[in-house]
Short mmCIF file of all heavy atoms in Angstrom, two decimals:
data_model
loop_
_atom_site.label_atom_id
_atom_site.label_comp_id
_atom_site.label_asym_id
_atom_site.label_seq_id
_atom_site.Cartn_x
_atom_site.Cartn_y
_atom_site.Cartn_z
N ARG A 288 108.62 98.13 111.43
CA ARG A 288 108.18 98.76 110.18
C ARG A 288 106.71 99.17 110.24
O ARG A 288 106.33 100.22 109.77
CB ARG A 288 108.40 97.78 109.01
CG ARG A 288 107.85 98.24 107.68
CD ARG A 288 108.53 99.51 107.20
NE ARG A 288 108.04 99.95 105.92
CZ ARG A 288 107.07 100.84 105.75
NH1 ARG A 288 106.47 101.37 106.80
NH2 ARG A 288 106.68 101.18 104.55
N MET A 289 105.87 98.34 110.87
CA MET A 289 104.43 98.60 110.89
C MET A 289 103.97 99.44 112.08
O MET A 289 102.96 100.12 111.99
CB MET A 289 103.66 97.27 110.92
CG MET A 289 103.78 96.47 109.68
SD MET A 289 102.77 94.99 109.82
CE MET A 289 102.99 94.29 108.20
N GLY A 290 104.68 99.33 113.18
CA GLY A 290 104.18 99.91 114.42
C GLY A 290 103.43 98.84 115.20
O GLY A 290 102.98 97.84 114.63
N ARG A 291 103.29 99.05 116.49
CA ARG A 291 102.74 97.99 117.35
C ARG A 291 101.30 97.62 117.03
O ARG A 291 100.96 96.44 116.92
CB ARG A 291 102.85 98.39 118.81
CG ARG A 291 104.25 98.32 119.31
CD ARG A 291 104.32 98.56 120.78
NE ARG A 291 105.71 98.43 121.19
CZ ARG A 291 106.12 98.59 122.41
NH1 ARG A 291 105.27 98.91 123.35
NH2 ARG A 291 107.39 98.45 122.71
N LEU A 292 100.43 98.61 116.91
CA LEU A 292 99.01 98.31 116.71
C LEU A 292 98.77 97.69 115.33
O LEU A 292 98.06 96.68 115.22
CB LEU A 292 98.17 99.57 116.88
CG LEU A 292 96.67 99.36 116.75
CD1 LEU A 292 96.17 98.37 117.79
CD2 LEU A 292 95.93 100.67 116.87
N ARG A 293 99.36 98.25 114.30
CA ARG A 293 99.19 97.67 112.96
C ARG A 293 99.79 96.28 112.88
O ARG A 293 99.26 95.40 112.20
CB ARG A 293 99.79 98.57 111.88
CG ARG A 293 98.95 99.79 111.63
CD ARG A 293 99.26 100.48 110.33
NE ARG A 293 100.68 100.64 110.05
CZ ARG A 293 101.15 101.13 108.92
NH1 ARG A 293 100.34 101.52 107.98
NH2 ARG A 293 102.44 101.26 108.74
N TYR A 294 100.91 96.06 113.58
CA TYR A 294 101.52 94.73 113.60
C TYR A 294 100.60 93.72 114.28
O TYR A 294 100.43 92.60 113.81
CB TYR A 294 102.87 94.78 114.30
CG TYR A 294 103.54 93.44 114.43
CD1 TYR A 294 104.08 92.80 113.33
CD2 TYR A 294 103.63 92.81 115.67
CE1 TYR A 294 104.70 91.56 113.45
CE2 TYR A 294 104.24 91.58 115.79
CZ TYR A 294 104.76 90.95 114.68
OH TYR A 294 105.36 89.74 114.81
N LEU A 295 99.99 94.13 115.39
CA LEU A 295 99.06 93.24 116.09
C LEU A 295 97.89 92.87 115.18
O LEU A 295 97.52 91.70 115.08
CB LEU A 295 98.55 93.89 117.37
CG LEU A 295 97.48 93.13 118.14
CD1 LEU A 295 98.01 91.80 118.64
CD2 LEU A 295 96.95 93.97 119.28
N LEU A 296 97.31 93.86 114.52
CA LEU A 296 96.20 93.59 113.60
C LEU A 296 96.65 92.71 112.44
O LEU A 296 95.94 91.78 112.04
CB LEU A 296 95.61 94.91 113.09
CG LEU A 296 94.91 95.76 114.14
CD1 LEU A 296 94.52 97.10 113.54
CD2 LEU A 296 93.71 95.04 114.70
N PHE A 297 97.82 93.00 111.90
CA PHE A 297 98.38 92.19 110.82
C PHE A 297 98.53 90.73 111.26
O PHE A 297 98.14 89.80 110.56
CB PHE A 297 99.73 92.77 110.40
CG PHE A 297 100.58 91.86 109.58
CD1 PHE A 297 100.35 91.72 108.22
CD2 PHE A 297 101.60 91.14 110.15
CE1 PHE A 297 101.13 90.87 107.45
CE2 PHE A 297 102.39 90.29 109.40
CZ PHE A 297 102.14 90.15 108.04
N TYR A 298 99.09 90.53 112.44
CA TYR A 298 99.33 89.19 112.98
C TYR A 298 98.01 88.43 113.14
O TYR A 298 97.90 87.26 112.76
CB TYR A 298 100.06 89.31 114.31
CG TYR A 298 100.51 88.01 114.90
CD1 TYR A 298 101.69 87.41 114.48
CD2 TYR A 298 99.76 87.37 115.88
CE1 TYR A 298 102.11 86.21 115.03
CE2 TYR A 298 100.17 86.18 116.43
CZ TYR A 298 101.34 85.60 115.99
OH TYR A 298 101.75 84.41 116.53
N LEU A 299 97.01 89.10 113.69
CA LEU A 299 95.71 88.46 113.90
C LEU A 299 95.03 88.13 112.57
O LEU A 299 94.45 87.04 112.42
CB LEU A 299 94.81 89.36 114.76
CG LEU A 299 95.25 89.53 116.20
CD1 LEU A 299 94.37 90.56 116.90
CD2 LEU A 299 95.25 88.21 116.95
N VAL A 300 95.09 89.04 111.60
CA VAL A 300 94.48 88.77 110.29
C VAL A 300 95.17 87.58 109.62
O VAL A 300 94.51 86.73 109.03
CB VAL A 300 94.52 90.03 109.40
CG1 VAL A 300 94.18 89.71 107.96
CG2 VAL A 300 93.57 91.08 109.95
N CYS A 301 96.50 87.52 109.70
CA CYS A 301 97.22 86.38 109.12
C CYS A 301 96.81 85.08 109.80
O CYS A 301 96.64 84.04 109.14
CB CYS A 301 98.73 86.58 109.22
SG CYS A 301 99.39 87.79 108.09
N GLY A 302 96.64 85.12 111.12
CA GLY A 302 96.21 83.93 111.85
C GLY A 302 94.82 83.47 111.44
O GLY A 302 94.58 82.27 111.23
N TYR A 303 93.89 84.41 111.31
CA TYR A 303 92.54 84.07 110.88
C TYR A 303 92.54 83.53 109.45
O TYR A 303 91.88 82.55 109.14
CB TYR A 303 91.60 85.28 110.97
CG TYR A 303 91.00 85.46 112.34
CD1 TYR A 303 91.43 86.47 113.18
CD2 TYR A 303 90.01 84.61 112.80
CE1 TYR A 303 90.90 86.63 114.44
CE2 TYR A 303 89.46 84.75 114.06
CZ TYR A 303 89.91 85.77 114.88
OH TYR A 303 89.39 85.91 116.13
N ALA A 304 93.28 84.19 108.57
CA ALA A 304 93.36 83.73 107.18
C ALA A 304 93.92 82.31 107.13
O ALA A 304 93.42 81.46 106.38
CB ALA A 304 94.22 84.67 106.35
N ALA A 305 94.96 82.04 107.92
CA ALA A 305 95.56 80.72 107.93
C ALA A 305 94.58 79.66 108.44
O ALA A 305 94.47 78.58 107.86
CB ALA A 305 96.83 80.73 108.79
N ALA A 306 93.87 79.98 109.51
CA ALA A 306 92.91 79.02 110.07
C ALA A 306 91.78 78.73 109.10
O ALA A 306 91.42 77.57 108.87
CB ALA A 306 92.35 79.56 111.39
N TYR A 307 91.22 79.77 108.50
CA TYR A 307 90.12 79.55 107.56
C TYR A 307 90.62 78.91 106.27
O TYR A 307 89.91 78.11 105.66
CB TYR A 307 89.36 80.85 107.29
CG TYR A 307 88.43 81.19 108.41
CD1 TYR A 307 88.74 82.18 109.33
CD2 TYR A 307 87.24 80.49 108.58
CE1 TYR A 307 87.89 82.48 110.37
CE2 TYR A 307 86.38 80.77 109.63
CZ TYR A 307 86.71 81.77 110.53
OH TYR A 307 85.87 82.05 111.56
N GLY A 308 91.81 79.25 105.84
CA GLY A 308 92.39 78.61 104.66
C GLY A 308 92.59 77.12 104.88
O GLY A 308 92.31 76.30 104.00
N PHE A 309 93.06 76.77 106.08
CA PHE A 309 93.22 75.36 106.41
C PHE A 309 91.86 74.66 106.44
O PHE A 309 91.71 73.55 105.93
CB PHE A 309 93.92 75.19 107.76
CG PHE A 309 94.03 73.77 108.20
CD1 PHE A 309 95.00 72.94 107.67
CD2 PHE A 309 93.15 73.24 109.13
CE1 PHE A 309 95.10 71.61 108.06
CE2 PHE A 309 93.23 71.91 109.52
CZ PHE A 309 94.22 71.11 108.99
N ALA A 310 90.86 75.32 107.03
CA ALA A 310 89.53 74.72 107.12
C ALA A 310 88.93 74.49 105.73
O ALA A 310 88.28 73.47 105.49
CB ALA A 310 88.61 75.60 107.95
N LEU A 311 89.17 75.42 104.82
CA LEU A 311 88.63 75.26 103.46
C LEU A 311 89.34 74.15 102.69
O LEU A 311 88.70 73.44 101.92
CB LEU A 311 88.75 76.57 102.70
CG LEU A 311 87.79 77.67 103.13
CD1 LEU A 311 88.12 78.97 102.40
CD2 LEU A 311 86.35 77.27 102.86
N THR A 312 90.63 74.01 102.90
CA THR A 312 91.38 72.99 102.16
C THR A 312 91.32 71.62 102.82
O THR A 312 91.66 70.63 102.19
CB THR A 312 92.86 73.40 101.98
OG1 THR A 312 93.46 73.59 103.27
CG2 THR A 312 92.97 74.68 101.17
N ASN A 313 90.92 71.57 104.07
CA ASN A 313 90.85 70.29 104.80
C ASN A 313 89.50 70.16 105.51
O ASN A 313 89.44 70.01 106.73
CB ASN A 313 91.99 70.20 105.82
CG ASN A 313 93.33 70.16 105.17
OD1 ASN A 313 93.70 69.18 104.54
ND2 ASN A 313 94.07 71.25 105.28
N SER A 314 88.44 70.20 104.75
CA SER A 314 87.10 70.16 105.35
C SER A 314 86.81 68.83 106.05
O SER A 314 85.91 68.75 106.87
CB SER A 314 86.04 70.44 104.30
OG SER A 314 86.14 69.50 103.26
N TYR A 315 87.58 67.81 105.75
CA TYR A 315 87.40 66.49 106.35
C TYR A 315 88.09 66.37 107.71
O TYR A 315 87.86 65.41 108.43
CB TYR A 315 87.97 65.42 105.42
CG TYR A 315 89.43 65.64 105.11
CD1 TYR A 315 90.41 65.16 105.95
CD2 TYR A 315 89.82 66.38 104.00
CE1 TYR A 315 91.75 65.39 105.69
CE2 TYR A 315 91.15 66.61 103.73
CZ TYR A 315 92.11 66.12 104.58
OH TYR A 315 93.44 66.36 104.32
N ALA A 316 88.92 67.32 108.09
CA ALA A 316 89.68 67.23 109.34
C ALA A 316 88.74 67.29 110.54
O ALA A 316 87.82 68.10 110.57
CB ALA A 316 90.71 68.34 109.41
#
Side-chain angles (χ1 to χ4, degrees):
R288 173 63 179 94
M289 292 183 176
R291 287 187 178 179
L292 183 59
R293 286 198 316 175
Y294 176 72
L295 175 64
L296 293 173
F297 165 80
Y298 187 82
L299 292 174
V300 167
C301 286
Y303 275 106
Y307 282 104
F309 176 79
L311 288 173
T312 59
N313 295 290
S314 58
Y315 58 86

